[in-house]
Amino acid sequence: MSKNNSIVHYMDIAYNEAIKGINANNGGPFGAVVVRDDIPIASAHNEVLTSKDPTAHAEINAIRKASQILNSYDLSECTLYTTCEPCPMCLGAILWARIEKVYYVSTKEDARDAGFDDSHFYDILQGKVRSTKLTQIEHQDSKKLFELWKKKSDIQIY
């Protein structure tokens, strides 16, 4: 299969996941698939409504499934295909999973026009607005957690 045919094939998997989610009223019209070595590892769709979990976006669900299947948090050898440009939360998960290549079809503007407007999140990340107040407080043992962590002989940084 040529590279372009592969891209279309994997995007079709993501698209079909989105259709499943739409038809089941699981959440928004989003689907994703994680692929490694030209083999689809895990596919998923948005399940925010049925799971009552605001993080249950298609990309996150697919990453979670792929990580379980591959028994690794490191998906650096994988590619993600998703039906829409990832939101900031999903982009964060993609970065934590070390996925270096993402293909998407619809834009964040397309999502906004369908009622999924994440521009407020981009405004926050760009420092244009502040909505959630983050306040650091003093705690007598606040540094102990990291000190305990650093003393362990079997730590694994991720």
Side-chain angles (χ1 to χ4, degrees):
M1 195 177 328
S2 74
K3 182 176 179 176
N4 282 344
N5 286 343
S6 293
I7 291 171
V8 170
H9 172 69
Y10 301 133
M11 199 56 75
D12 284 345
I13 294 171
Y15 178 87
N16 288 331
E17 276 290 341
I19 294 293
K20 276 192 234 175
I22 289 169
N23 289 338
N25 291 321
N26 291 148
F30 307 100
V33 61
V34 175
V35 175
R36 183 177 77 176
D37 297 328
D38 278 334
I39 299 169
I41 303 300
S43 62
H45 56 269
N46 184 298
E47 295 182 26
V48 169
L49 296 177
T50 52
S51 68
K52 311 290 189 269
D53 177 356
T55 68
H57 290 198
E59 298 91 336
I60 299 228
N61 290 341
I63 288 169
R64 286 176 177 157
K65 287 180 181 180
S67 293
Q68 290 296 309
I69 290 167
L70 297 173
N71 195 32
S72 178
Y73 60 85
D74 184 348
L75 303 180
S76 58
E77 295 180 5
C78 297
T79 300
L80 178 72
Y81 297 81
T82 181
T83 58
C84 192
E85 184 175 357
C87 73
M89 177 186 66
C90 291
L91 183 57
I94 290 163
L95 294 171
W96 276 111
R98 293 170 174 73
I99 296 172
E100 295 180 8
K101 192 177 288 184
V102 177
Y103 292 97
Y104 67 90
V105 181
S106 299
T107 65
K108 61 186 175 207
E109 291 79 19
D110 296 327
R112 179 199 60 221
D113 292 346
F116 298 92
D117 187 2
D118 57 6
S119 60
H120 181 69
F121 299 107
Y122 287 98
D123 290 343
I124 291 169
L125 292 172
Q126 294 169 358
K128 293 178 182 176
V129 297
R130 189 110 185 186
S131 66
T132 301
K133 187 173 180 172
L134 300 175
T135 306
Q136 182 182 14
I137 60 170
E138 291 296 322
H139 186 273
Q140 61 187 359
D141 295 329
S142 63
K143 303 258 190 240
K144 260 190 191 173
L145 296 173
F146 289 109
E147 293 305 320
L148 286 169
W149 173 258
K150 291 191 290 188
K151 288 179 184 175
K152 287 177 54 73
S153 62
D154 59 347
I155 63 172
Q156 184 176 358
I157 302 297
Y158 53 91

